Amino acid sequence: MPTDCISYQNSGYFSSLMNDYLDQKEPTQSFYNRFPNLENFEAQIKEKKTNYTNENRAVLVSALQKQYSKISVSGLTQRNIDTLTNDNTFTVTTGHQLNLFSGPLYFLYKIISTINLTKELKAKYPSQNFVPIYWMATEDHDFDEINYFNFKGRKFRWNKESLGPVGRLSTEGLDDFFEVYSLELGSGKNAEAIKKIFKESYLNHSNLADATRFLANALFGEYGLVILDADNPDLKRTFIPYIKEELTLQTSHKKVLETIEKLKSYTIQVNPREINLFYMEDNLRERIIYENGMYTINNTKIEFSESEILAELENHPEKFSPNVIMRPLYQEVILPNLCYIGGGGEIAYWLELKSFFNAVNISFPILLLRNSVLLATEKQAKKADKLGLSWSDLFSKKDDLVNEKTKVLDDFSIDLSIQKDFLKNQFHYLHSLAQKTDKSFLGAVKAQETKQIKGLENLEKRLLKAQKRKHFEELERITDLQNELFPNKSLQERQTNFSEFYLENGNDLIQKLIDQLKPLNTKFEVIVF
């Protein structure tokens, strides 16, 4: 089977900003605190220790104990919650939306990267404790982004109305969804295990936050994962000073705009609003807008004066919800966090935030790109070998792959570069001759050169097309394999639900990922089952 690997930078699936960040290029260095390697965590630990209070620890542990009071807790998770009371305990955090049944595969990779990094940190710094945190994005309100998952090429969608934060959304109606999905799963030991996890998660819990907590705990509880729902009045109360500053001074807007100007050579991930907060109730999550001396809630008739909204904040901090700009700050205020692990898009918007964190005197975490993985069966790996394909080949764009393999399959060269170079040399002589004799011929010489080079290029294309027809069957096998591994011409991890692989591998799926993934490696892992 193929044994090569491919770096994130050479995969073609990451932005120029992410590639430059991974290469630690100078233009990106001012936008992060420390680069993710084990040695840099020593200084991060010291910085965070001076920037996080015991009062916040106590509030965090109390909130976690309440959230875990109604579910079965593994010994390791309970120990991790308990150790959070100690000032030598720190967290590594990843966050994810409440996608139905976890959504795409990278949900697993985020959490496994987080769990494995805490292990590496403990080995490097044994006198400290490190707790893996999964931050549930319970306050998001874009239900259309999370109400489906893909299984065996088919989209399973939960059709339901949703207005407010998705974490508070009722799971009513998922029993009908489950009936359809369970038929697709079929029978067998692993199929029954998947059905059991789904039923216990979604049919035995009344809201999406509790259902997602149960699911993540069922999959990762034995590895010590701690799951946090930050839609909590006590946690929000610790964030009041920063919400107040956002309402009255709009610091985030000013600082992030300054950073965006410095990042203008890259694609900008998110743009700040003047106030980066929502007003939130069970069926409401709308922007807070400041205009004409009043704070209005978008798409409602609710409005406050400054004194009224600050009183509302003191009395009901849970009604103030951070958006994508403010949420990272909320996370770093309430957690003793050292590192945030996310995908390329997430890390890109975190890089916009460092100057904002500096302005409000909160430590900016180390930013780590999560593991990316391609899962393949032994049959697929052997097929790649038989077809003479490396993993790097399969990461290529389809047209590039087909063109390259067509050339390899022939016993003569389809590349007419030698002939084109010969022509260019001949015309170089004619250009020199025209310069010395009659410069009026220069245009005619150039036109003739362009025509003949174009003719060779057209012959090359026709020859390649003819050879593609000749090798159609083998090329089709190549593209069929690529389509299996890269559904919809996208990364498998962004398309496929974990249950598709759990159906074949059961608990071995997660254990093998835990065993093989190295969070600080910047290359795609190809794991063969």
Side-chain angles (χ1 to χ4, degrees):
M1 67 181 65
T3 57
D4 65 310
C5 60
I6 186 166
S7 70
Y8 295 151
Q9 296 95 312
N10 292 329
S11 70
Y13 284 96
F14 289 90
S15 68
S16 59
L17 176 57
M18 278 301 92
N19 291 337
D20 286 356
Y21 173 66
L22 293 172
D23 289 332
Q24 302 182 62
K25 289 190 175 178
E26 194 278 331
T28 67
Q29 290 177 6
S30 64
F31 304 114
Y32 59 88
N33 197 7
R34 297 178 178 90
F35 193 74
N37 58 55
L38 284 177
E39 291 70 25
N40 282 344
F41 277 89
E42 181 175 2
Q44 192 73 22
I45 289 168
K46 291 178 182 177
E47 180 181 331
K48 189 65 182 184
K49 194 165 188 175
T50 64
N51 198 247
Y52 186 73
T53 68
N54 287 332
E55 290 78 11
N56 282 13
R57 279 188 184 277
V59 174
L60 173 65
V61 172
S62 175
L64 285 169
Q65 288 171 339
K66 290 174 185 175
Q67 290 177 13
Y68 272 88
S69 63
K70 295 181 181 179
I71 66 171
S72 177
V73 186
S74 73
L76 184 53
T77 293
Q78 186 60 61
R79 191 155 61 249
N80 279 339
I81 294 172
D82 293 342
T83 59
L84 280 167
T85 59
N86 302 325
D87 65 4
N88 67 337
T89 300
F90 302 90
T91 61
V92 174
T93 302
T94 193
H96 195 65
Q97 294 172 295
L98 305 191
N99 294 70
L100 184 61
F101 210 39
S102 81
L105 270 164
Y106 66 80
F107 169 81
L108 268 61
Y109 307 153
K110 279 184 165 185
I111 291 175
I112 290 169
S113 300
T114 305
I115 291 168
N116 282 349
L117 182 57
T118 60
K119 293 178 183 178
E120 291 194 24
L121 288 171
K122 184 64 177 176
K124 178 71 174 177
Y125 304 102
S127 63
Q128 315 292 335
N129 300 309
F130 305 95
V131 175
I133 297 285
Y134 162 42
W135 177 291
M136 296 194 297
T138 53
E139 296 181 38
D140 282 2
H141 62 266
D142 196 339
F143 184 60
D144 288 341
E145 287 188 358
I146 68 167
N147 66 350
Y148 69 93
F149 60 86
N150 297 315
F151 178 79
K152 292 187 174 181
R154 182 180 170 192
K155 180 173 283 189
F156 288 80
R157 186 181 295 278
W158 177 22
N159 294 310
K160 186 182 180 73
E161 291 292 323
S162 175
L163 297 174
V166 294
R168 302 181 191 181
L169 182 65
S170 168
T171 54
E172 185 179 359
L174 275 173
D175 48 352
D176 293 334
F177 175 97
F178 174 68
E179 291 301 318
V180 176
Y181 174 51
S182 63
L183 288 174
E184 194 71 21
L185 285 168
S187 59
K189 179 182 175 182
N190 292 339
E192 294 307 314
I194 294 169
K195 292 174 189 177
K196 183 173 185 288
I197 293 173
F198 189 99
K199 287 172 65 177
E200 291 182 345
S201 299
Y202 293 94
L203 306 189
N204 294 352
H205 292 90
S206 61
N207 63 62
L208 199 53
D210 290 345
T212 305
R213 181 188 295 108
F214 185 93
L215 173 64
N217 186 63
L219 295 174
F220 295 106
E222 65 180 285
Y223 303 102
L225 182 69
V226 175
I227 302 152
L228 177 64
D229 180 0
D231 181 8
N232 177 280
D234 296 330
L235 294 173
K236 286 283 177 69
R237 188 160 294 283
T238 66
F239 197 51
I240 284 178
Y242 306 93
I243 297 175
K244 184 176 181 179
E245 177 162 338
E246 181 66 9
L247 290 169
T248 58
L249 300 177
Q250 291 93 54
T251 304
S252 68
H253 181 252
K254 298 167 188 171
K255 291 299 178 180
V256 175
L257 280 183
E258 290 174 8
T259 302
I260 285 175
E261 178 62 24
K262 296 175 184 176
L263 282 166
K264 62 184 178 182
S265 61
Y266 299 104
T267 299
I268 299 303
Q269 195 69 24
V270 294
N271 286 290
R273 299 190 182 278
E274 290 187 356
I275 295 178
N276 292 284
L277 295 166
F278 292 94
Y279 188 76
M280 186 172 71
E281 295 176 340
D282 284 349
N283 292 305
L284 174 72
R285 189 175 186 250
E286 289 285 354
R287 288 167 46 211
I288 301 173
I289 300 170
Y290 183 70
E291 54 187 6
N292 301 321
M294 297 294 289
Y295 294 87
T296 62
I297 309 306
N298 197 40
N299 295 322
T300 75
K301 295 181 180 180
I302 303 171
E303 66 175 17
F304 302 92
S305 66
E306 181 175 304
S307 60
E308 288 170 339
I309 202 166
L310 294 179
E312 181 79 347
L313 174 60
E314 287 293 333
N315 295 325
H316 299 287
E318 71 278 4
K319 291 189 176 186
F320 293 80
S321 177
N323 75 352
V324 66
I325 295 291
M326 286 289 287
R327 190 212 65 80
L329 181 68
Y330 180 36
Q331 172 188 297
E332 297 304 310
V333 167
I334 68 175
L335 290 174
N337 197 49
L338 302 175
C339 176
Y340 183 76
I341 297 178
E346 290 176 281
I347 301 304
Y349 78 70
W350 272 86
L351 291 172
E352 298 177 27
L353 304 178
K354 184 171 180 287
S355 63
F356 169 44
F357 272 67
N358 291 345
V360 295
N361 298 312
I362 293 296
S363 295
F364 195 64
I366 290 174
L367 302 176
L368 177 62
L369 197 61
R370 63 168 172 80
N371 284 123
S372 280
V373 185
L374 176 65
L375 300 179
T377 64
E378 283 193 18
K379 183 178 178 181
Q380 288 169 329
K382 288 177 180 176
K383 187 176 181 180
D385 231 8
K386 188 175 180 180
L387 292 168
L389 296 169
S390 67
W391 295 125
S392 182
D393 289 332
L394 287 161
F395 271 85
S396 304
K397 294 187 183 304
K398 180 181 175 180
D399 288 345
D400 293 341
L401 176 60
V402 169
N403 289 344
E404 286 304 310
K405 289 305 165 184
T406 302
K407 295 172 184 177
V408 169
L409 289 169
D410 282 302
D411 53 8
F412 62 90
S413 177
I414 299 174
D415 187 351
L416 300 183
S417 296
I418 294 174
Q419 289 75 15
K420 284 184 276 187
D421 287 341
F422 177 78
L423 263 182
K424 288 175 183 177
N425 287 332
Q426 296 305 306
F427 277 99
H428 179 72
Y429 169 74
L430 291 174
H431 279 291
S432 299
L433 192 62
Q435 286 277 7
K436 294 174 182 176
T437 56
D438 188 345
K439 293 184 180 181
S440 66
F441 285 116
L442 281 172
V445 171
K446 182 63 179 175
Q448 191 61 226
E449 178 184 9
T450 301
K451 180 180 178 181
Q452 293 197 31
I453 294 293
K454 188 69 174 176
L456 278 179
E457 288 174 347
N458 288 334
L459 285 174
E460 195 173 51
K461 289 177 182 177
R462 290 181 66 181
L463 184 58
L464 182 61
K465 190 174 182 180
Q467 294 309 99
K468 285 180 183 178
R469 288 195 298 269
K470 176 182 173 182
H471 299 294
F472 173 77
E473 289 186 1
E474 187 154 7
L475 292 172
E476 187 176 44
R477 288 195 290 273
I478 288 172
T479 56
D480 284 348
L481 178 59
Q482 188 182 50
N483 291 336
E484 288 175 16
L485 295 170
F486 296 82
N488 296 324
K489 299 180 181 179
S490 178
L491 289 176
Q492 175 195 80
E493 63 184 35
R494 297 178 187 171
Q495 296 288 320
T496 308
N497 183 257
F498 84 95
S499 59
E500 190 167 322
F501 292 91
Y502 195 99
L503 195 60
E504 296 298 322
N505 302 286
N507 289 331
D508 290 345
L509 171 66
I510 291 176
Q511 188 59 57
K512 192 164 186 175
L513 291 168
I514 290 276
D515 291 342
Q516 294 199 21
L517 296 187
K518 306 299 179 188
L520 297 174
N521 283 358
T522 57
K523 63 182 179 65
F524 267 90
E525 294 286 346
V526 180
I527 298 181
V528 179
F529 284 89

